[in-house]
Amino acid sequence: MTLAPTPAEVMIAAAAREIRDGEVVFVGMRLPLLAFALAKRTHAPRAVGLFENGIIRETPSSAMLHTMGDPPNIEGARMCCRMTTVMGLLQRGDVDLGFLGGAEVDRFGNINTSYIGDPKRPEVKLPGSGGAADIASLAKRYVVVIDHAPRRLPRRVGYVTSPGNGDGPGWRSRVGLPRGGPSAIITDRATLRFYPSSGEAYLASVHDGFTAEDVVAQTGWELKIGSDCAATIAPTTEELRIVRECDPQGFWTGRRESR
Amino acid sequence: MDAGRRNAGPSDIMQSKLMTMPDAIGRYVPDGSSVALGLGLEALIPFAAGHEIVRQHRRDLTLIGPISDILFDQLIGAGCAARVTAAWAGNVSAGLGHCYRRAAESSVPRAIEIADHSNFSIALALLGGALGAPFIPTRTLLGSDIAARADGSHLTIGRSPLTDEPLVFVPALVPDVAIVHVQRADEYGGCHAWGNLGVMEEGALAARSVIAVAEEIVPQSVIESDPNRVLAPPHKVSAVVHERGGAHPSPVQGCWLRDHEFFLEYHDATRTREGFEQWRTRWIDGVPDRASYLTQLGAARVENLTVKLTNPAAPVNYSAS
């Protein structure tokens, strides 16, 4: 018997589908750890995973990871190295895709993980960039994974930790960024993609159990609905089996409270 | 920056550098110094050294590191830090760090200055220090508020003198001391570390002095049997401290697993300042040393966290004849 997917499992399956076979992926933390493992075991067996602490993997780890530095992520790694090795690959333009989380992402895909309110006297001091700003700056494309709420998806973030499309088309090259930008925002309700012409996010697909109107109402700007907006492809039984095998306690997939 | 303020000088390669943690912290981490910690990111975090810094009531430190998991949070909560130069400070398992928030948002227990970096930019800052270069140019952070709002002492937006393209210049960072946790060391400063290395090599090279905290002290011949695995030039290491379990709750490849629950317990216990003070009394001030800390952690928990199987690397042949 297969239990219905949790919101996190829907997000993981959607994130895994962003990984194309053979791509070099900056994996990151939390749900993308599972998305990488899922993609490797399904449609993207030739994907290569980079971790900013200095790990390169060609196979998913043998055990559930709480952090990228956990011992199972090192045992069986293809390479263990220094951070500048993997960050160098990123800056050179050798990384296809990176995954990012965040407290806030705006309509141009700019991400704030630093400050809510005035940075000099913040209402909330968030932990900061980690490697996120580097991935947003330098990967060929990046995908944001975030919970859907108006305050999480504001019209404009108060602080740009990780640069997206800035204030619109042409901004990235104007400020000197060599490539890249956001390609999708995956939430617990929907997947958003970006208009190449305006650099603005639009509703591309809606997850099971929600309507386009729900999603628009939960977004902090007037979210446009894409002309090809469809239902998100639900996780298959096989995908759910793999995700649950990777996270048997449900730590990341929401069958256990993680915070 | 504190360049030139303190220079540990060349260490005597003939002399044992083995000392106790209180001696190492007392000698190499004075008030006001800049301390690089947590350079291996989520692994190999020198918690025992950080706790000794708290016990010795160090003040006005500059904490330097890419991420520190909860060690920076503890040092900030204990009032040891005046400045944080980091890409990320919080609790990797739980997200936010409560002490960091209290300090940044309400100056409790004291105000802190924050120099925001990304992981790459702080790695480049330490690489600059390691190379003796004045700064390193990069394309990362262009367009970000991390670069745009930086005060210039730790990041500056400029243009390439070669092509006129926009670049971020990352000034070199020279910590007074880097503290690294390693699997094994000899008493003369030779260290082997394995697993992911983060910015441990750059940090140790950049710093004026290095404290190596080792799970195990081995004969120099063991370190010399594999010179490619040596973390830092042994003559640069000022102090070697033997401290088994000194990285708990962070993992040490081949020795210790990560104690995930400890991070979550810390998160729950430190929501209030009073909660942090109680946690600190129990886990830092209330234990005189690391051995007592591990006793308090309990034999069962220590056993569960201990790596039991072996998965050794294939030997390599260094023979010259």
Side-chain angles (χ1 to χ4, degrees):
Chain A
M1 190 187 84
T2 305
L3 296 168
T6 64
E9 287 170 339
V10 174
M11 295 165 85
I12 291 162
R17 292 194 181 114
E18 298 294 319
I19 301 172
R20 298 169 199 149
D21 197 17
E23 286 195 322
V24 177
V25 182
F26 234 83
V27 179
M29 299 285 271
R30 298 175 180 268
L31 302 187
L33 284 169
L34 290 168
F36 176 70
L38 177 59
K40 284 292 298 181
R41 293 204 198 177
T42 52
H43 64 278
R46 291 171 192 81
V48 174
L50 305 187
F51 298 84
E52 63 209 59
N53 57 352
I55 296 174
I56 299 177
R57 288 200 71 98
E58 295 181 3
T59 54
S61 67
S62 59
M64 217 282 284
L65 299 178
H66 289 245
T67 83
M68 62 178 77
D70 291 2
N73 209 30
I74 290 164
E75 188 175 32
R78 200 76 170 101
M79 183 178 187
C80 284
C81 53
R82 49 175 77 185
M83 183 195 286
T84 51
T85 301
V86 288
M87 287 295 186
L89 291 172
L90 185 65
Q91 183 163 244
R92 283 171 44 81
D94 293 343
V95 174
D96 297 297
L97 169 64
F99 285 103
L100 304 174
E104 297 180 327
V105 58
D106 69 22
R107 69 194 193 282
F108 292 117
N110 305 300
I111 301 169
N112 176 18
T113 51
S114 299
Y115 299 94
I116 305 290
D118 178 5
K120 298 237 178 290
R121 193 75 182 182
E123 287 162 46
V124 183
K125 176 68 192 92
L126 300 164
S129 162
D134 307 311
I135 296 168
S137 297
L138 301 170
K140 289 181 190 167
R141 69 183 197 281
Y142 69 85
V143 170
V144 184
V145 179
I146 191 168
D147 285 337
H148 210 128
R151 67 182 174 84
R152 304 294 296 275
L153 284 85
R155 185 173 174 77
R156 178 78 193 168
V157 292
Y159 183 100
V160 178
T161 309
S162 302
N165 290 328
D167 56 14
W171 179 88
R172 288 183 70 91
S173 58
R174 268 204 310 282
V175 299
L177 290 167
R179 67 186 78 84
S183 68
I185 300 172
I186 295 170
T187 78
D188 50 348
R189 292 168 186 256
T191 296
L192 281 49
R193 296 193 186 277
F194 290 82
Y195 290 120
S197 54
S198 66
E200 187 173 324
Y202 67 90
L203 181 58
S205 82
V206 181
H207 303 343
D208 186 38
F210 299 99
T211 65
E213 291 67 35
D214 290 334
V215 173
V216 169
Q218 288 298 311
T219 304
W221 71 89
E222 312 73 47
L223 180 66
K224 296 189 180 82
I225 300 175
S227 57
D228 55 350
C229 183
T232 304
I233 301 166
T236 65
T237 306
E238 176 66 0
E239 286 170 334
L240 288 175
R241 187 189 65 74
I242 293 168
V243 168
R244 289 165 189 178
E245 200 177 284
C246 293
D247 182 10
Q249 309 298 319
F251 185 82
W252 293 126
T253 52
R255 281 174 289 128
R256 175 195 133 144
E257 187 56 45
S258 66
R259 286 203 184 191
Chain B
M1 221 182 317
D2 308 310
R5 191 162 62 85
R6 190 179 297 101
N7 193 335
S11 64
D12 183 348
I13 61 168
M14 305 285 281
Q15 198 168 4
S16 173
K17 298 161 185 171
L18 202 57
M19 61 183 80
T20 65
M21 187 68 87
D23 284 349
I25 299 303
R27 280 173 73 166
Y28 294 105
V29 191
D31 285 349
S33 51
S34 56
V35 190
L37 293 154
L39 303 172
L41 282 83
E42 295 85 357
L44 298 166
I45 303 173
F47 277 96
H51 290 186
E52 184 58 29
I53 288 171
V54 173
R55 278 194 290 269
Q56 293 193 18
H57 298 102
R58 284 294 173 276
R59 289 294 177 265
D60 299 325
L61 301 179
T62 296
L63 305 180
I64 297 169
I67 77 160
S68 78
D69 220 324
I70 55 176
L71 181 54
F72 280 6
D73 199 67
Q74 293 167 15
L75 290 164
I76 292 163
C80 302
R83 273 170 299 278
V84 175
T85 298
W88 193 98
N91 181 327
V92 172
S93 286
L96 299 164
H98 297 302
C99 293
Y100 187 42
R101 282 195 60 185
R102 278 190 287 272
E105 296 165 18
S106 10
S107 303
V108 172
R110 57 162 296 172
I112 51 168
E113 284 173 37
I114 298 171
D116 286 303
H117 269 280
S118 69
N119 275 345
F120 193 21
S121 71
I122 199 166
L124 293 174
L126 291 169
L127 178 63
L131 297 174
F135 61 87
I136 306 274
T138 180
R139 294 188 171 92
T140 199
L141 299 181
L142 287 165
S144 74
D145 282 337
I146 296 175
R149 296 192 189 215
D151 67 6
S153 69
H154 78 289
L155 292 172
T156 304
I157 301 171
R159 288 191 171 270
S160 166
L162 306 178
T163 63
D164 204 40
E165 66 188 315
L167 292 171
V168 172
F169 298 118
V170 186
L173 200 48
V174 179
D176 291 318
V177 59
I179 308 178
V180 292
H181 191 96
V182 299
Q183 282 94 338
R184 63 190 184 201
D186 63 47
E187 60 182 301
Y188 303 99
C191 300
H192 279 178
W194 58 92
N196 67 285
L197 296 177
V199 292
M200 290 173 73
E201 293 163 291
E202 290 84 355
L205 284 168
R208 295 190 176 84
S209 47
V210 178
I211 299 173
V213 184
E215 288 287 328
E216 186 187 8
I217 301 298
V218 296
Q220 187 169 336
S221 59
V222 173
I223 301 300
E224 286 175 351
S225 75
D226 194 358
N228 278 125
R229 208 183 304 279
V230 175
L231 181 72
H235 69 272
K236 268 211 72 170
V237 176
S238 304
V240 176
V241 178
H242 184 204
E243 198 83 289
R244 177 181 162 268
H248 175 271
S250 71
V252 179
Q253 199 71 19
C255 302
W256 296 88
L257 303 177
R258 188 172 186 273
D259 192 347
H260 307 298
E261 289 300 324
F262 199 87
F263 290 88
L264 299 173
E265 289 160 13
Y266 176 80
H267 186 71
D268 290 337
T270 59
R271 288 180 193 280
T272 63
R273 188 181 178 190
E274 296 68 36
F276 172 74
E277 291 299 336
Q278 286 169 15
W279 188 94
R280 171 187 166 176
T281 299
R282 176 163 160 71
W283 289 103
I284 302 180
D285 297 314
V287 286
D289 53 29
R290 202 58 175 179
S292 312
Y293 172 103
L294 292 177
T295 302
Q296 181 166 295
L297 196 62
R301 195 161 183 171
V302 167
E303 172 69 9
N304 281 338
L305 294 169
T306 302
V307 170
K308 296 167 193 74
L309 302 180
T310 56
N311 184 3
V316 296
N317 186 6
Y318 280 102
S319 178
S321 52

